[in-house]
Amino acid sequence: MLDYNEFLTRKNKIDVLLKEQGWDVKDRSKVWLEVDTKQSEFKARKYKVVAETLKSDLDSRYADYLLLDSNGEPLAVIEAKRTSKDPIIGQRQAEQYADDIKSQTGKDVFIFLSNGYEIWFWNKPYQNPRQVKGFHSQADLERIRFQNKAKKSFADIPIRKDIIDRPYQIESAKRVLEGISKGRRKFLIVQATGTGKTRVAMALIGVLLRTNRAQKILFLTDRKALRNQAHDKGFKIWFPNEAKSKVFSGSLEKEARLYSSTIQTFMECYHEFSIGAFDVIVSDEAHRSIYHKWKDVFTYFDAIQIGLTATPSS
């Protein structure tokens, strides 16, 4: 691993990773560098940089990067460290930048911490920091921001009894929802063949959609027949009014909310998607996908993961 100083870390690593997700650091409609979070006027979208305020007698505090939303308002800050440093050491600094912005706008912004090799994402104050494989796109962050504000309590949205009605199915769904409420992001539903694993997944998807906890959901299988089943006998039946799409290549129908694909298709094209393209990924026959040669797909995306598998043989 090359030991870059902070300037080279930003230029050679972080700037490149940002551009991959649509963040061009030369485009001031999206990215500002070295923004003074003390002297900028965030409500008026007047962002002052180090060259303007360094010699001022007023207090200053400089965010390495300020990412803007589609309206030109603050969306996220990034604290960069040289490659040899643990990016987590910048957590308090980044929190101060976010607090400065919130003190003016009344709105939270997302926080990223990076040394060019590691990236940590903090959806403050809703979730704890977590390590991710890349930066989220502008659309990803705007979608997560909507969910932060619009989400409803799981207690207010009942599980649909027309999808699942057996006690063990309802119990499985409730356990997953409890885990999500506690901040967990990985789940494995183990049920014998023929006991309705897919229906449990569909019931969970229904609750997540209705509580505004998810807007983009991907259902992965290891066979085309199972992909078609999830789409035709799952999505079409239980969510007839939701926009649906089968994925055959590295492109998405942006207006769709429910996607089905084979893991083989995604293995060939997953890098063409942003890491935050999906809120939830369901993996059917998870024992053949998550833990074997296709696991890279699941470690790449920053999504809640729900695996489905049959009862292991003793």
Side-chain angles (χ1 to χ4, degrees), residues 6 79-82 84-95 113-115 118 120:
E6 185 178 316
E79 173 62 16
K81 296 297 180 188
R82 66 181 300 152
S84 60
K85 289 189 175 182
D86 185 342
I88 288 295
I89 66 174
Q91 182 173 341
R92 179 57 189 150
Q93 285 176 269
E95 187 176 19
L113 312 169
S114 181
N115 64 2
E118 284 186 22
W120 288 77

Side-chain angles (χ1 to χ4, degrees), residues 28-289:
R28 283 201 166 184
S29 70
K30 292 185 176 181
V31 184
W32 282 68
L33 305 178
E34 299 288 353
V35 173
D36 189 334
T37 60
K38 284 290 191 182
Q39 296 189 47
S40 292
E41 299 173 45
F42 291 104
K43 289 190 75 171
R45 304 177 197 172
K46 293 182 180 179
Y47 309 125
K48 297 181 180 179
V49 299
V50 62
E52 299 173 76
T53 66
L54 185 62
K55 296 180 180 180
S56 169
D57 292 332
L58 300 174
D59 289 340
S60 293
R61 190 150 45 209
Y62 299 104
D64 293 322
Y65 300 80
L66 175 68
L67 308 183
L68 305 179
D69 67 13
S70 53
N71 293 319
E73 298 178 355
L75 183 61
V77 293
I78 303 173
E79 173 62 16
K81 296 297 180 188
R82 66 181 300 152
T83 55
S84 60
K85 289 189 175 182
D86 185 342
I88 288 295
I89 66 174
Q91 182 173 341
R92 179 57 189 150
Q93 285 176 269
E95 187 176 19
Q96 290 174 329
Y97 308 147
D99 288 346
D100 288 342
I101 295 170
K102 187 174 182 178
S103 69
Q104 291 191 36
T105 65
K107 300 176 182 179
D108 292 296
V109 295
F110 299 104
I111 293 172
F112 289 96
L113 312 169
S114 181
N115 64 2
Y117 289 100
E118 284 186 22
I119 300 173
W120 288 77
F121 173 58
W122 190 6
N123 181 9
K124 177 181 181 288
Y126 302 97
Q127 297 167 334
N128 293 326
R130 60 179 179 266
Q131 193 170 355
V132 293
K133 288 289 187 178
F135 293 102
H136 295 64
S137 70
Q138 185 184 72
D140 295 339
L141 294 178
E142 290 184 334
R143 193 178 75 248
I144 297 169
R145 182 176 63 182
F146 166 79
Q147 292 166 12
N148 287 342
K149 298 298 183 183
K151 67 181 181 182
K152 302 174 185 176
S153 170
F154 290 139
D156 296 333
I157 304 295
I159 294 169
R160 285 175 56 180
K161 296 294 180 66
D162 59 329
I163 302 179
I164 55 174
D165 58 4
R166 299 174 184 176
Y168 66 85
Q169 295 172 331
I170 294 171
E171 181 67 17
S172 291
K174 285 183 175 179
R175 289 291 181 90
V176 173
L177 295 174
E178 287 172 7
I180 292 173
S181 294
K182 295 176 181 177
R184 290 175 55 200
R185 295 178 63 80
K186 293 185 179 182
F187 304 90
L188 183 63
I189 296 174
V190 181
Q191 288 180 201
T193 301
T195 57
K197 296 186 298 295
T198 302
R199 280 192 171 230
V200 172
M202 293 295 163
L204 285 167
I205 289 169
V207 173
L208 293 169
L209 288 172
R210 286 182 292 153
T211 55
N212 296 321
R213 304 291 186 108
Q215 293 169 280
K216 298 285 187 178
I217 297 172
L218 172 65
F219 198 108
L220 287 177
T221 72
D222 65 347
R223 286 177 287 164
K224 292 179 181 178
L226 292 174
R227 176 201 64 197
N228 294 339
Q229 182 179 340
H231 185 273
D232 300 336
K233 296 183 179 180
F235 292 162
K236 279 189 174 181
I237 292 175
W238 307 120
F239 312 110
N241 298 322
E242 296 287 357
K244 295 167 280 291
S245 176
K246 290 182 185 178
V247 181
F248 299 102
S249 64
S251 62
L252 288 181
E253 295 180 19
K254 291 185 178 180
E255 69 277 5
R257 302 227 289 176
L258 303 176
Y259 301 85
S260 56
S261 179
T262 63
I263 187 68
Q264 292 89 342
T265 293
F266 255 75
M267 192 64 190
E268 294 177 357
C269 65
Y270 70 93
H271 276 118
E272 297 177 37
F273 300 95
S274 65
I275 69 151
F278 304 101
D279 302 306
V280 178
I281 298 177
V282 179
S283 172
D284 198 7
E285 303 296 347
H287 63 285
R288 293 205 292 265
S289 55

